[in-house]
């Protein structure tokens, strides 16, 4: 795997919430084209890390660069798939409406989505297998279906980097398989994909790069070399029984 | 005695514009769960109105409404600050600002009423609305505000929609969340200013909640909800103004509010997408369908014990499965040709029924 | 002088009686129910007035209070249907009831005691003129006696049901497990609010009741975290607001209720800014301090990382701080100053060196996280 270019570089990133540290001194280089997992226990700062990478929250120290430039200047190249529970599912809109929202970035101010955007949205829905649900109201979807349309919304941005926050929680096995299949395809096409992942058992099967985080940076690099029992112990503390089962 | 004179049309046009602006903002207020924000902002305009009069000694509506706007904006800012910088939750912040600002307004109002030159300054009219006092300048103001709101909302349609639905995602696209939110609240304040002379401070909140709530019950599309909300608000204004000019001593503002609230109530009951009535019917229909399917399956199982798929069983045999089916259900199945009755009270599957039962059981096993 | 003492006493009674249920409404995130109830009971009062034609019957209080309870029940039903969210449900019901009441007053009762302005504003100054006479002895304003009973009622309720109120407010699930019905407590509380509202109506009117119920409670929550303290502080603040409000109103010759509400607000603002634990000023100072400390610790870790390495000279100096940490020059200087004062680092020209103490600090911080 040729990883010469760096997609994201993080330097001395630290975040505080009130007086507690959420992220400490993170130094990271994420190569282009990897399919990377971020793992760590609850409260390890994973979602905060994603938000810092998106430039949505201001760090206490340090900075993040996307393709060598400040994130704010390069937002078009990065797309975000949030956790499912942050939405009000009673909002009056259809599946197509949600995916169309992904085109808002490229449209700029005031302009409305037109036929071209609608076409892009349908293509994105096709990639996630949800075209038939185009006109359904979002409250009628299952957990897996909701996740798919969020992914479609991010895909329609045609970004080079994809950030996903725990996409497999509350999702059925079929959807999970299909999503990871799609992610692998996108990765092979050169997209950089970063996923906050909750299930240690599937790390080796799904990902080729990993970042292990517990407020501090524990380890990062290729899965084969970095995803070791030792590193897991450092990340999760002394839950050895759990650890030996997963490797 | 309905007099279609100049005053009537003036009031009608004015309140229609009020309906336009509150119909628009009602959608956002309801979806963002900021319905009661409007109540607080409306109540907070009272001190603004009073101070404007005290300072300028002018009773002209545009002067008073400017004071209202300033204090409404102040209230909006204060509520947000209380939520952001203290332990207070939204409802508490709203309650504090609403009651204190209004109390202060009452203090000023009473002060004015006791001033020698005040003499029925007409400021109390802002409490419940006073459509009889509307002048053409007021209509221009209301029209102006409503059109500005309409233009801004149409231009920033997708921005406000995304902001309301998923503000975190909007931030990742680079949208200036804070400024958009403030912009929306500013529009809310403006719409309140536009409505003060029609329905007044106390009842303005109804115009910001009822139209949007009513509209939501009939559609799952945001654009349609907006159109319906505006329609309901304007319709209520129409009916309210007409009724109050026909009946003596019937105040316009409260009349409009009662009409729009009834529209909301009716929508809650009858609305096609979320109305209670139709939801209930849909549920009953589903329940009946399921019971018919389970009867077919039960007959199938019973018949299987006899090697003859069409073997009729006593009605009581159904007891084996728990509750016995209703006569209506059996009658329905018979009409559809899926079961037949053998006297006195024995029931069996027809060949068509047998096929259907097989399909049902197959579906169950593979789902 | 007699008259004004009566007014003060009445005001104190209204203030205390309102503050007590107000605390629980606030803590249960139902502050706006007080607004809803105080507006809705007008409809009950008007309807009853048409029926009984006598506003002074004691039956009045309970029947009008019933409207308050029915309002809350209706709101609950609407929320349960899942078609409408909580805030919209509240705002749907009470304006309609209030508007209906206004219409009825205007159509059928224009010349009566139920003046629509008075309804909103009340006028406590007139209350003392209706006195309670028992066996020919003047025992003071009737309103005070009735309000006094309401105060007693509210206090007793909180006294008897303190445990239940506490549990159902802070942990509904625990309440269910312990067999306490949250619903019952909720409706009892709402009933008390309605009764208080009806009785206070004459004195302070609808909206000002909300001021007395919510604002002192809000002030108290900014000053204490313990329920009992919050209750006492609320009553205290409400009473002080009542007295100072009356003074201001007497001075300016203006609405007493309005002045009292304004004073409630002023005390709230004082607490908002100056509260020793929650005040804005304390918070801001606290935050600044925490940020400084946090950044100082970061600096020690950064220095530790690059110590004894080839890039030490370039990394561990003050100019690099600006670049690497993305700190402003002013802030970098502040951080360095802090570290120097605490002897975590030493500085030679632009280069920074960790002291042994600084090294220990860095290691402790790393271990802790």
């Amino acid at each position: 795997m040729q990883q010469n270019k760096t997609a994201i570089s993080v330097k001395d990133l630290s975040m505080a919430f009130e007086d507690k540290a959420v992220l400490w001194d993170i130094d990271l280089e994420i190569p282009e084209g990897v399919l990377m997992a971020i793992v760590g226990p609850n409260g390890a700062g994973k979602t905060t890390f994603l938000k810092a990478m998106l430039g949505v929250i201001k760090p206490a120290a340090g900075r993040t660069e996307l393709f060598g430039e400040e994130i704010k200047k390069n937002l078009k190249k990065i797309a975000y798939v949030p956790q499912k529970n942050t939405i009000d599912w009673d909002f009056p809109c259809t599946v197509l409406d949600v995916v169309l929202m992904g085109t808002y970035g490229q449209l700029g101010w005031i302009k409305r989505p037109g036929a071209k955007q609608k076409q892009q949205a349908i293509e994105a829905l096709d990639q996630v297998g949800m075209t038939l649900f185009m006109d359904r109201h979002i409250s009628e979807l299952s957990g897996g279906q909701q996740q798919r349309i969020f992914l479609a919304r991010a895909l329609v941005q045609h970004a080079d980097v994809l950030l996903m926050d725990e996409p497999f929680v509350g999702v059925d096995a079929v959807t999970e398989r299909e999503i990871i299949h799609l992610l692998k395809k996108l990765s092979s096409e050169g997209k950089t994909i970063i996923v906050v992942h909750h299930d240690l058992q599937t790390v080796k099967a799904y990902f080729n790069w990993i970042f292990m985080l517990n407020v501090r940076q524990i380890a990062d690099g290729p899965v084969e070399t970095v995803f070791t029992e030792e590193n897991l112990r450092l990340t999760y503390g002394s839950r050895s029984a759990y650890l030996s089962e997963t490797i | 005695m309905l007099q279609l004179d100049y005053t009537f049309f003036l009031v009608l046009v004015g309140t229609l514009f009020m309906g336009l602006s509150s119909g628009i903002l009602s959608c956002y207020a309801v979806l963002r769960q900021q319905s009661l924000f409007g109540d607080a902002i409306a109540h907070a305009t009272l001190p603004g109105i009073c101070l404007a009069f005290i300072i300028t000694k002018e009773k002209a509506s545009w002067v008073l409404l400017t004071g209202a706007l300033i204090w409404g904006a102040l209230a909006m800012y204060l509520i947000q600050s209380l939520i952001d910088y203290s332990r207070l939750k939204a409802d508490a912040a709203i309650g504090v600002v609403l009651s204190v600002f209004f109390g202060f307004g009452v203090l000023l109002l009473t002060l004015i009423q006791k001033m020698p030159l005040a003499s029925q300054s007409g400021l109390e009219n802002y409490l419940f609305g006073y459509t009889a006092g509307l002048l053409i300048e007021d209509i221009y103001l209301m029209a102006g505000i409503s059109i500005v709101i309409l233009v801004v909302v149409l231009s920033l349609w997708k921005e406000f929609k995304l902001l309301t639905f998923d503000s975190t995602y909007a931030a990742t696209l680079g949208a200036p969340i804070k400024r958009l939110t403030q912009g929306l609240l500013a529009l809310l304040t403006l719409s309140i200013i536009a409505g003060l002379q029609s329905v007044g401070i106390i009842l303005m909140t109804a115009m910001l909640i009822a139209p949007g709530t009513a509209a939501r019950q009939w559609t799952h599309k945001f654009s349609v909800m907006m159109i319906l909300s505006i329609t309901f608000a304007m319709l209520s204004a129409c009916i309210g103004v007409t009724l109050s000019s026909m009946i003596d001593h019937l105040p316009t503002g409260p009349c409009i509010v009662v009409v729009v609230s009834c529209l909301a109530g009716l929508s809650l009951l009858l609305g096609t997408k979320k109305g209670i009535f139709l939801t209930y019917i849909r549920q009953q229909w589903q329940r009946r369908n399921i019971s018919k399917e389970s009867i077919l399956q039960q007959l199938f199982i019973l018949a299987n014990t006899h090697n003859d798929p069409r073997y009729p069983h006593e009605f009581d045999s159904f007891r084996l499965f728990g509750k016995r089916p209703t006569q209506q259900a059996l009658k329905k199945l018979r009409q559809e040709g899926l079961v037949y009755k053998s006297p006195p009270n024995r029931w069996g599957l027809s060949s068509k029924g047998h096929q259907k039962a097989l399909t049902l059981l197959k579906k169950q096993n593979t789902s | 002088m007699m008259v004004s003492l009566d007014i003060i006493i009445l005001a104190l009674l209204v203030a205390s009686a309102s503050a007590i249920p107000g605390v629980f409404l606030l803590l249960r995130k139902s502050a706006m129910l007080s607004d809803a109830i105080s507006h809705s009971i007008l409809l009950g009062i008007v309807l009853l007035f048409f029926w009984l034609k006598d506003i002074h019957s004691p039956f009045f209080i309970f029947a009008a209070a019933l409207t308050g309870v029915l309002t809350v029940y209706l709101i609950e039903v609407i929320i349960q249907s899942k078609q409408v969210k909580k805030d919209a449900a509240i705002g749907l019901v009470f304006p309609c009831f209030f508007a209906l009441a206004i219409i009825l007053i205007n159509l059928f009762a224009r010349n009566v005691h139920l003046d629509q302005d008075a309804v909103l504003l009340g006028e406590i100054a007139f209350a003392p003129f209706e006195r309670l006479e028992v066996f020919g002895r003047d025992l003071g304003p009737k309103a005070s006696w009735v309000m006094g009973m309401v105060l007693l009622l509210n206090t007793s309720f909180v006294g008897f049901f303190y445990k239940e109120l506490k549990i159902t407010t802070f942990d509904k699930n625990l309440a269910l497990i312990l067999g306490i019905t949250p619903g019952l407590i909720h409706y009892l509380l709402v009933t008390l609010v309605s009764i208080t509202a009806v009785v206070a109506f004459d004195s302070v009117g609808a909206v000002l009741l909300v001021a007395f119920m919510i604002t002192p409670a809000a002030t108290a929550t900014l000053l204490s975290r313990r329920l009992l303290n919050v209750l006492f502080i609320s009553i205290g603040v409400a009473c002080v607001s009542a007295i100072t409000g009356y003074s201001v109103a007497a001075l300016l010759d203006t609405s007493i209720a309005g002045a009292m509400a304004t004073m409630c607000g002023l005390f709230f603002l004082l607490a908002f800014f100056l509260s020793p634990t929650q005040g804005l000023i304390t918070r801001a100072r606290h935050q600044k301090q925490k940020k400084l400390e946090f950044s100082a610790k970061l600096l020690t870790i950064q220095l530790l990382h690059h110590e004894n390495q080839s890039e030490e000279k370039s990394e561990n100096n003050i100019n690099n701080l600006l670049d690497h940490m993305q700190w402003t020059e002013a802030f970098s200087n502040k951080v360095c100053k802090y570290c120097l004062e605490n002897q975590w680092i030493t500085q030679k020209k632009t280069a920074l060196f960790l002291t042994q103490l600084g090294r220990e600090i860095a290691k402790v911080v790393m271990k802790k996280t």
Side-chain angles (χ1 to χ4, degrees), chain B residues 79-140:
Chain B
I79 294 174
Q80 202 55 54
S81 305
L82 287 180
I83 297 176
D84 289 338
Y85 299 121
S86 84
R87 214 187 270 159
L88 249 48
K89 301 287 185 305
D91 67 316
I94 290 172
V96 168
V97 171
L98 187 154
S99 55
V100 171
F101 273 52
F102 189 72
F104 182 48
V106 167
L107 185 156
L108 292 173
L109 189 64
T110 326
L111 209 64
I112 291 173
Q113 283 170 340
K114 304 220 169 140
M115 273 160 58
L117 45 88
S119 66
Q120 291 320 301
S121 49
L123 297 190
E124 312 80 45
N125 292 330
Y126 284 91
L127 285 174
F128 293 102
Y130 185 56
T131 51
L134 283 177
L135 304 169
I136 190 71
E137 296 90 54
D138 301 323
I139 309 301
Y140 288 150

Side-chain angles (χ1 to χ4, degrees), chain A:
Chain A
M1 214 176 350
Q2 289 286 38
Q3 291 147 22
N4 13 27
K5 260 176 97 178
T6 305
I8 296 184
S9 94
V10 178
K11 290 202 178 82
D12 299 319
L13 187 71
S14 297
M15 291 279 200
F17 182 65
E18 292 182 345
D19 60 341
K20 276 215 297 265
V22 179
L23 287 173
W24 264 118
D25 199 29
I26 312 286
D27 273 295
L28 192 62
E29 304 262 320
I30 303 175
E32 215 179 313
V34 296
L35 182 48
M36 175 174 113
I38 303 181
V39 298
N42 280 338
K46 308 190 292 282
T47 305
T48 313
F49 183 67
L50 282 189
K51 289 197 172 156
M53 282 204 283
L54 287 162
V56 172
I57 42 183
K58 199 163 160 278
R63 69 173 184 283
T64 323
E65 275 174 7
L66 180 62
F67 296 118
E69 280 181 50
E70 218 189 299
I71 297 256
K72 285 248 155 68
K73 301 206 177 89
N74 247 341
L75 276 176
K76 288 209 163 74
K77 300 211 175 135
I78 190 164
Y80 177 58
V81 181
Q83 289 190 26
K84 280 198 297 340
N85 53 13
T86 54
I87 306 295
D88 174 19
W89 293 99
D90 260 334
F91 192 87
C93 65
T94 60
V95 166
L96 186 63
D97 281 331
V98 174
V99 181
L100 271 174
M101 289 180 189
T103 62
Y104 286 2
Q106 59 174 255
L107 285 169
W109 288 95
I110 298 184
K111 279 216 224 52
R112 304 261 191 100
K116 179 169 167 225
Q117 283 72 38
K118 192 170 172 194
Q119 188 56 36
Q120 289 177 335
I122 295 179
E123 280 165 15
L125 278 172
D126 202 31
Q127 275 184 296
V128 298
M130 289 283 290
T131 339
L132 289 175
F133 291 80
M134 211 162 73
D135 292 314
R136 287 264 188 99
H137 184 247
I138 53 178
S139 64
E140 299 170 23
L141 301 177
S142 71
Q145 292 166 334
Q146 287 170 350
Q147 196 57 59
R148 288 187 211 218
I149 63 167
F150 276 158
L151 182 55
R153 181 176 71 175
L155 291 176
V156 90
Q157 287 177 252
H158 291 113
D160 297 309
V161 180
L162 199 58
L163 297 182
M164 303 180 76
D165 198 346
E166 302 209 358
F168 302 119
V169 172
V171 154
D172 57 281
V174 173
T175 304
E176 184 166 334
R177 263 204 315 273
E178 289 182 21
I179 289 183
I180 201 64
H181 183 75
L182 180 58
L183 293 180
K184 287 194 172 169
K185 178 161 155 283
L186 291 167
S187 174
S188 69
E189 288 167 10
K191 302 237 195 265
T192 312
I193 303 181
I194 300 169
V195 177
V196 171
H197 196 58
H198 72 288
D199 183 9
L200 293 173
Q201 301 210 359
T202 44
V203 167
K204 280 203 159 161
Y206 290 174
F207 302 98
N208 53 32
W209 206 264
I210 187 164
F211 173 33
M212 302 172 81
L213 172 66
N214 186 355
V215 183
R216 285 187 303 125
Q217 178 172 7
I218 308 294
D220 65 287
V223 168
E224 305 91 59
T225 45
V226 171
F227 194 57
T228 62
E229 184 147 345
E230 178 59 35
N231 280 336
L232 275 170
R233 197 169 292 127
L234 286 171
T235 313
Y236 286 86
S238 53
R239 297 175 212 176
S240 351
Y242 178 59
L243 295 176
S244 47
E245 270 173 57
T246 53
I247 311 242

Side-chain angles (χ1 to χ4, degrees), chain B residues 56-354:
Chain B
T56 66
K57 306 278 190 293
E58 278 281 345
K59 267 195 278 172
S61 57
W62 72 268
V63 172
L64 300 181
L65 288 178
T66 309
L69 182 62
I70 296 175
W71 278 73
L74 187 66
M76 166 191 119
Y77 179 70
L78 189 58
I79 294 174
Q80 202 55 54
S81 305
L82 287 180
I83 297 176
D84 289 338
Y85 299 121
S86 84
R87 214 187 270 159
L88 249 48
K89 301 287 185 305
D91 67 316
I94 290 172
V96 168
V97 171
L98 187 154
S99 55
V100 171
F101 273 52
F102 189 72
F104 182 48
V106 167
L107 185 156
L108 292 173
L109 189 64
T110 326
L111 209 64
I112 291 173
Q113 283 170 340
K114 304 220 169 140
M115 273 160 58
L117 45 88
S119 66
Q120 291 320 301
S121 49
L123 297 190
E124 312 80 45
N125 292 330
Y126 284 91
L127 285 174
F128 293 102
Y130 185 56
T131 51
L134 283 177
L135 304 169
I136 190 71
E137 296 90 54
D138 301 323
I139 309 301
Y140 288 150
L141 187 64
M142 289 156 106
I145 292 180
S146 306
I147 291 174
V148 164
I149 291 178
L150 185 65
V151 166
V152 173
V153 164
L154 283 178
S155 313
L156 296 179
W157 181 261
K158 66 181 199 292
E159 284 78 1
F160 283 145
K161 185 174 172 181
L162 184 58
L163 180 77
T164 307
F165 176 61
D166 192 353
S167 57
T168 323
Y169 181 70
T172 69
L173 290 182
I177 300 300
K178 214 153 188 212
R179 259 179 288 146
L180 281 174
T181 314
Q182 284 169 340
L184 205 47
L185 280 174
L187 289 182
L188 181 69
T189 311
L190 274 177
S191 73
I192 292 172
I193 303 300
L196 282 185
Q197 290 172 289
S198 312
V199 290
I201 287 176
I202 317 288
L203 297 172
M204 189 65 215
T205 183
M207 295 310 295
L208 290 170
I209 300 181
T213 307
R216 182 71 185 86
Q217 311 302 318
W218 298 92
T219 178
H220 281 316
K221 292 195 82 170
F222 185 54
S223 46
V224 177
M225 178 181 171
M226 178 75 64
I227 294 176
L228 278 178
S229 177
I230 296 173
T231 312
F232 284 143
M234 288 172 102
L235 186 64
S236 312
C238 245
I239 297 178
V241 168
T242 312
L243 279 178
S244 86
S245 59
M246 284 188 344
I247 303 174
D248 273 345
H249 301 296
L250 183 62
T252 317
C255 196
I256 298 177
V257 166
V258 171
V259 173
V260 79
S261 306
C262 286
L263 278 176
L266 279 173
S267 302
L268 284 174
L269 288 173
L270 301 175
T272 49
K273 286 295 188 298
K274 291 185 107 201
I276 298 181
F277 189 57
L278 279 165
T279 310
Y280 178 72
I281 290 186
R282 235 175 267 142
Q283 278 178 350
Q284 291 297 87
W285 185 81
Q286 276 174 349
R287 216 173 284 159
R288 234 177 281 149
N289 252 11
I290 292 176
S291 100
K292 282 201 300 197
E293 285 177 7
S294 58
I295 292 175
L296 287 175
Q297 291 177 19
Q298 288 169 7
L299 281 173
F300 184 88
I301 294 173
L302 284 171
N304 262 355
T305 62
H306 287 262
N307 266 340
D308 174 10
R310 303 190 57 204
Y311 192 92
H313 284 82
E314 282 292 338
F315 182 66
D316 274 346
S317 319
F318 281 111
R319 275 241 179 85
L320 286 168
F321 300 101
K323 254 172 75 174
R324 285 173 303 170
T326 58
Q327 287 298 329
Q328 293 158 315
L330 287 170
K331 191 166 158 211
K332 255 293 168 75
L333 285 169
R334 197 162 156 217
Q335 280 173 345
E336 289 170 24
L338 296 169
V339 308
Y340 69 93
K341 184 174 180 180
S342 177
N345 200 5
R346 301 173 69 174
W347 296 84
L349 287 171
S350 65
S351 18
K352 200 166 139 200
H354 184 81

